[in-house]
Amino acid sequence: MSTALWYALAAAAANLIGGFVITASSAAGRATQRFLIAFGAGFMIATALVGMVPHAVEEGGEAAAAAVLVGYLLVHLTQHVLVAHFHFGEETHSEHMVSRWVGITALLGLLLHTFFDGVAIASGFHAGEWLGMLVFIAILLHKVPEGVTVASIMLASGNSAKRAIGAVALLGVSTVLGVVLTEYVRILSTTGLALSAGVTLYVAASNLVPEVQKKRSASTSIAVFLGAGLFYATYLLVRGYLEHP
């Protein structure tokens, strides 16, 4: 089993943890979720702009830059055009949460994102072990709130707790599938990092940051900077260690 696949399985497990956490949600739990979302947003934005995009462009040139844009727009298309609109964190559009199909269509939108999580992990390790580690950490940071989100949407749309956990499990399977297919589908192995960078930017900037801005809080504002700061610290430590063990 490849290294990337092991990390994908760990990320999938984090999805499940998030799904189980929602069953014990509380005011404190929501505050913690908002902090994690802010922290993950900062880390993901820094990872995409400083780690993923430069390496993708270095390998693929102008075509890679276009792939970043395609990845960004692809998630926008699925989340805001093809499926019912939803937010990454606490759902506020209750009028959309009226049927089980709404929960299912929201799940389909996030399945694309989690698939490219797997692509990003595989592509990151293909570019270099240090980058693969950074991409994995960035993805892991939002996996728990992602599981919380999907489970809450499924429950709010009338689905059972069992189906909610099943939906979260599908996200994990999608991540693993992204790693596996990247090994065999050439277009994913050649442009996967660029596409994933676009997806990562969208999730961080359009899904996570709006959640942070919903409620004024010094802690969540600082968490964004802490997330970006952790990226640089990890970037220097991991890359330095792997390149000069």
Side-chain angles (χ1 to χ4, degrees):
M1 186 178 291
S2 68
T3 300
L5 191 53
W6 282 114
Y7 283 107
L9 289 171
N15 272 147
L16 284 172
I17 291 173
F20 286 114
V21 164
I22 193 58
T23 61
S25 61
S26 62
R30 288 192 294 272
T32 300
Q33 180 188 359
R34 185 171 285 110
F35 182 88
L36 289 174
I37 288 173
F39 192 86
F43 195 102
M44 290 176 72
I45 290 172
T47 299
L49 292 178
V50 180
M52 299 170 76
V53 172
H55 283 80
V57 173
E58 182 180 352
E59 292 184 358
E62 187 175 341
V68 173
L69 177 61
V70 169
Y72 186 97
L73 295 177
L74 192 59
V75 183
H76 173 77
L77 178 69
T78 58
Q79 289 191 1
H80 298 278
V81 179
L82 298 182
V83 303
H85 175 64
F86 65 94
H87 286 295
F88 193 85
E90 183 179 0
E91 182 57 53
T92 58
H93 297 281
S94 58
E95 68 275 14
H96 291 163
M97 300 289 101
V98 295
S99 70
R100 291 181 179 179
W101 177 245
V102 172
I104 293 172
T105 53
L107 170 64
L108 292 176
L110 274 179
L111 281 173
L112 173 67
H113 161 58
T114 54
F115 174 80
F116 278 105
D117 278 346
V119 174
I121 291 172
S123 300
F125 276 103
H126 177 74
E129 188 176 355
W130 66 271
L131 182 59
M133 287 290 296
L134 290 173
V135 170
F136 165 72
I137 293 171
I139 289 172
L140 189 66
L141 284 172
H142 76 265
K143 279 297 186 180
V144 171
E146 184 179 77
V148 169
T149 297
V150 172
S152 63
I153 291 174
M154 293 296 286
L155 292 173
S157 59
N159 289 279
S160 66
K162 184 177 180 180
R163 287 190 177 185
I165 294 299
V168 174
L170 281 178
L171 295 185
V173 171
S174 180
T175 301
V176 174
L177 185 62
V179 170
V180 173
L181 289 184
T182 301
E183 300 291 331
Y184 299 100
V185 180
R186 180 171 176 77
I187 190 172
L188 291 177
S189 63
T190 56
T191 63
L193 188 61
L195 286 170
S196 301
V199 172
T200 300
L201 277 175
Y202 187 94
V203 171
S206 296
N207 288 149
L208 301 185
V209 170
E211 291 301 321
V212 176
Q213 296 174 335
K214 275 185 180 180
K215 184 177 181 180
R216 288 182 177 273
S217 170
S219 62
T220 52
S221 297
I222 293 172
V224 176
F225 291 93
L226 290 176
L230 177 63
F231 167 80
Y232 283 108
T234 309
Y235 179 96
L236 294 174
L237 289 173
V238 175
R239 184 173 184 177
Y241 174 77
L242 293 175
E243 291 187 347
H244 305 286

